[in-house]
Amino acid sequence: MTQVMVSEVGPRDGLQSIKQAMPTAVKHKWIRALAEAGLKEIEVASFVPPKLLPQMADAPEVVREALKIPGITVLALVPNLRGFQDAVAAGAPKVTLTVSASEAHSMNNIHMTCAQAIESAKRIVAFRDGLPEGQRPHIEVGISTAFGCSIQGDVDESWAIEMAVQLAAAGADTVGLSDSVGYGNPAQVKRMFKRLIAELGGKAGGAHLHNTRGQGLANVVAALDAGVTTFDASQGGIGGCPYAPGATGNIVTEDLVFLLESMGLDTGIDMPKLLEARKFLAEGLPGEPVYGFVPDAGVPRNYRRAVDQHA
Amino acid sequence: MTQVMVSEVGPRDGLQSIKQAMPTAVKHKWIRALAEAGLKEIEVASFVPPKLLPQMADAPEVVREALKIPGITVLALVPNLRGFQDAVAAGAPKVTLTVSASEAHSMNNIHMTCAQAIESAKRIVAFRDGLPEGQRPHIEVGISTAFGCSIQGDVDESWAIEMAVQLAAAGADTVGLSDSVGYGNPAQVKRMFKRLIAELGGKAGGAHLHNTRGQGLANVVAALDAGVTTFDASQGGIGGCPYAPGATGNIVTEDLVFLLESMGLDTGIDMPKLLEARKFLAEGLPGEPVYGFVPDAGVPRNYRRAVDQHA
């Protein structure tokens, strides 16, 4: 039975995009509920300056609390060396760095060229390698706007792969590809991940796909076909689109888990418990829209988890 | 360049599920606008008793008006021999019959066993074959609930394929598979269409996939992989789910066209004109929800039609 990892990014990527801050105590409960549903990797916080993102001011506390939960990998986003140091101080065992493949997006977002951003990421990797053994987090790099950019339009595919190769060679543990703006299509997603896996082998990371144009799960099918086994998603699709009702950003975890389990791919996730965890979104983000086709329509009456199909 | 046919079912399948009737004059304008956007096959009406579906009482007139539009195949649904005769009288060159693969659904819906429904369809085919040359419509059969049924749960896959084989042998021109309740998953969709194509060859029909659980386009990717080249969809996803906001029934034509064209598959459809045609939904169905991720989020700035990618 094929195992597929669903990496929950709601508590970081989701909450980061919502103005309203989820109370820290609710974050703790939500993350615990996600773990109890079977999520094995949860991105719980971002180590950014609290002035910029007050919703993430409790990052050290959220990481420390999540580390008490057995059986999950606690992941934190770090934007730079300072954030990386903070994440290490909080005890994060795995961090994500993002580097944009679009020059226009990189300049607009962090005022660095792609080359400068690569050097910045390499410095973080080098710093990590100088830490005492046992304090060196796994570093996953996400190549953002790998499938196109809403500022510059096309992004050169060979350049995105070349960035991944450079960063893996510099010591990043895994490098994945992100469709940050929902521009990707299945043909492109399959082609790009095939190249990534051919170039990086075991260092090829997961797929961070958005559903902005409704293509998220279609792109997952293509990525599965290319050999991808880790997918980011956000419970309730939170942190999605600021401008259009129904047009979400992240893939909805519930819909992704339904896709994978129905296909006989084992995520280890229990759907009723996953649906139950949504209550903490209502509790911690009152009035915020929460998405999901499977939560709305319900699971089919013949739904069986992959483990039960194979039993 | 691979050609893929998007068969628009909104004016029939969509409108049939909505209580409010679209005025006949708006139907005419909408169907014409869809044809001008490049749709080549449009299911325009259902020949059912007006008492049951008053929204379809204008079926003969809608068919006759649609027949004036050059370059499209006008399709009508017929539930039985009487409806078939009415469709022939109106001049429909192609009709769809549906036969359910679920005994429970068939009994519940038309008070016939599957075997009885197959016989009924065979009688329609035989009647068609007795008509004068030039008056014999193409008959497409859709095997509904082929991927599962909300009443009985599982539907035996071999039985669904066996029905298709029997109906093709009886003279149906094409036989497709329908995921009427949005239970299908990509592994199953690929497996089933591979079998259908292996058994029926050129008589294998298209995929009628629903997006009830957000899996519609993921299932399209799987069906493409199996060799399917015709997909049903409904503009604005109309006629979808009666019970859950955002949980639509039919795949949204706009999102499907975006998927296919982005992948370099030629549908012949012009996206701006397709989006423009949505105005007739607002005009003819005031207050009715209209869906679509691509219409909400907009096409990417680097969007190119398949014909332009290959130019």
Side-chain angles (χ1 to χ4, degrees):
Chain A
M1 185 170 47
T2 306
Q3 315 270 324
V4 175
M5 165 84 87
V6 175
S7 183
E8 171 64 44
V9 301
R12 194 285 299 175
D13 193 347
L15 296 184
Q16 183 169 321
S17 314
I18 296 173
K19 280 248 163 69
Q20 168 179 195
M22 179 182 274
T24 308
V26 182
K27 288 188 186 180
H28 293 335
K29 288 190 285 183
W30 181 32
I31 293 164
R32 192 165 282 273
L34 289 165
E36 281 167 7
L39 272 303
K40 290 179 195 67
E41 182 171 282
I42 307 177
E43 197 172 276
V44 300
S46 182
F47 284 87
V48 285
K51 267 184 303 188
L52 291 180
L53 286 173
Q55 313 91 300
M56 293 288 135
D58 57 7
E61 191 182 337
V62 171
V63 167
R64 277 192 292 264
E65 187 68 20
L67 286 171
K68 296 176 190 166
I69 304 169
I72 63 164
T73 300
V74 176
L75 195 52
L77 185 102
V78 301
N80 50 33
L81 184 57
R82 170 67 194 274
F84 179 79
Q85 291 165 333
D86 291 344
V88 170
K94 183 170 179 180
V95 302
T96 303
L97 311 174
T98 66
V99 181
S100 180
S102 156
E103 290 288 352
H105 176 246
S106 189
M107 286 303 295
N108 192 69
N109 202 33
I110 56 167
H111 311 293
M112 287 189 199
T113 63
C114 292
Q116 287 169 334
I118 291 170
E119 289 313 308
S120 168
K122 285 181 180 172
R123 279 193 296 274
I124 295 171
V125 173
F127 178 85
R128 187 272 313 264
D129 293 341
L131 290 172
E133 214 175 317
Q135 290 175 36
R136 298 175 196 148
H138 175 114
I139 295 180
E140 168 147 297
V141 177
I143 307 291
S144 63
T145 66
F147 302 92
C149 167
S150 53
I151 306 168
Q152 96 179 28
D154 285 332
V155 168
D156 185 70
E157 294 185 4
S158 295
W159 166 239
I161 299 296
E162 168 61 22
M163 289 180 78
V165 168
Q166 283 190 31
L167 288 158
D173 296 291
T174 45
V175 187
L177 302 177
S178 299
D179 183 17
S180 320
V181 290
Y183 271 30
N185 69 73
Q188 181 191 24
V189 165
K190 186 169 169 180
R191 183 170 66 234
M192 293 278 283
F193 275 104
K194 273 191 170 175
R195 285 182 70 176
L196 185 79
I197 292 166
E199 293 282 351
L200 266 59
K203 284 198 167 196
H208 181 94
L209 301 166
H210 277 205
N211 198 37
T212 320
R213 288 173 184 79
Q215 317 288 312
L217 296 187
N219 286 333
V220 167
V221 173
L224 283 169
D225 220 24
V228 174
T229 57
T230 300
F231 295 90
D232 289 355
S234 154
Q235 179 152 55
I238 62 159
C241 181
Y243 54 89
T248 61
N250 285 302
I251 290 175
V252 174
T253 305
E254 296 87 325
D255 295 347
L256 173 63
V257 169
F258 174 70
L259 175 89
L260 297 169
E261 291 283 338
S262 297
M263 291 177 75
L265 303 169
D266 178 32
T267 65
I269 296 167
D270 179 87
M271 183 65 81
K273 287 185 184 168
L274 179 63
L275 295 174
E276 181 71 12
R278 289 165 68 92
K279 70 181 178 199
F280 296 111
L281 294 175
E283 181 183 334
L285 299 169
E288 195 65 32
V290 179
Y291 305 103
F293 283 87
V294 171
D296 282 350
V299 292
R301 53 186 295 142
N302 62 343
Y303 178 72
R304 282 181 294 277
R305 285 178 62 170
V307 287
D308 298 322
Q309 292 174 41
H310 292 273
Chain B
M1 185 170 50
T2 305
Q3 316 269 324
V4 176
M5 164 84 87
V6 174
S7 183
E8 171 65 42
V9 301
R12 195 284 300 175
D13 194 348
L15 295 183
Q16 184 170 321
S17 314
I18 296 174
K19 279 250 162 70
Q20 167 177 198
M22 179 182 273
T24 307
V26 182
K27 288 189 186 181
H28 293 336
K29 289 191 285 183
W30 181 31
I31 292 164
R32 193 166 281 274
L34 288 166
E36 280 168 7
L39 271 303
K40 290 179 197 67
E41 182 171 284
I42 308 178
E43 196 172 278
V44 300
S46 183
F47 285 86
V48 285
K51 268 185 301 186
L52 291 180
L53 286 173
Q55 315 91 300
M56 294 289 136
D58 56 7
E61 190 183 340
V62 171
V63 166
R64 278 192 290 264
E65 186 69 20
L67 287 171
K68 297 178 189 164
I69 304 170
I72 63 165
T73 299
V74 175
L75 196 52
L77 184 101
V78 300
N80 50 33
L81 183 58
R82 170 68 194 274
F84 179 79
Q85 290 165 334
D86 291 345
V88 170
K94 184 171 179 181
V95 302
T96 303
L97 311 175
T98 66
V99 180
S100 180
S102 155
E103 290 288 351
H105 176 246
S106 189
M107 286 303 294
N108 193 67
N109 203 32
I110 55 167
H111 312 293
M112 286 188 198
T113 64
C114 293
Q116 288 168 333
I118 291 170
E119 289 312 310
S120 169
K122 284 182 182 172
R123 279 193 296 274
I124 295 172
V125 172
F127 179 86
R128 186 272 315 265
D129 293 342
L131 290 172
E133 214 175 316
Q135 289 176 37
R136 299 177 197 149
H138 175 114
I139 294 180
E140 168 148 299
V141 177
I143 306 291
S144 63
T145 65
F147 303 93
C149 166
S150 53
I151 306 169
Q152 99 178 26
D154 284 332
V155 168
D156 184 70
E157 295 184 4
S158 295
W159 166 240
I161 299 297
E162 167 61 20
M163 288 180 80
V165 169
Q166 283 191 30
L167 289 158
D173 297 290
T174 45
V175 186
L177 302 177
S178 300
D179 182 17
S180 321
V181 291
Y183 271 30
N185 69 73
Q188 182 190 24
V189 165
K190 186 169 169 181
R191 183 170 66 235
M192 292 277 283
F193 275 103
K194 274 191 168 174
R195 285 181 70 175
L196 185 78
I197 292 165
E199 294 281 352
L200 267 58
K203 284 198 167 196
H208 181 94
L209 301 166
H210 277 205
N211 197 38
T212 320
R213 289 172 183 81
Q215 317 289 312
L217 297 186
N219 286 334
V220 168
V221 172
L224 283 169
D225 221 23
V228 175
T229 57
T230 300
F231 294 91
D232 289 355
S234 153
Q235 179 152 56
I238 62 158
C241 181
Y243 55 90
T248 61
N250 285 302
I251 290 175
V252 174
T253 306
E254 297 88 325
D255 295 347
L256 173 63
V257 169
F258 174 71
L259 174 90
L260 297 169
E261 291 283 338
S262 297
M263 291 177 76
L265 302 170
D266 179 31
T267 64
I269 297 167
D270 180 86
M271 184 65 79
K273 286 184 185 167
L274 180 62
L275 296 174
E276 180 71 10
R278 287 165 69 90
K279 71 182 177 200
F280 296 111
L281 293 175
E283 182 183 334
L285 299 170
E288 195 64 34
V290 178
Y291 304 102
F293 282 87
V294 170
D296 282 351
V299 292
R301 53 186 296 144
N302 63 342
Y303 178 71
R304 282 182 293 279
R305 283 177 65 170
V307 287
D308 298 323
Q309 292 175 39
H310 292 273

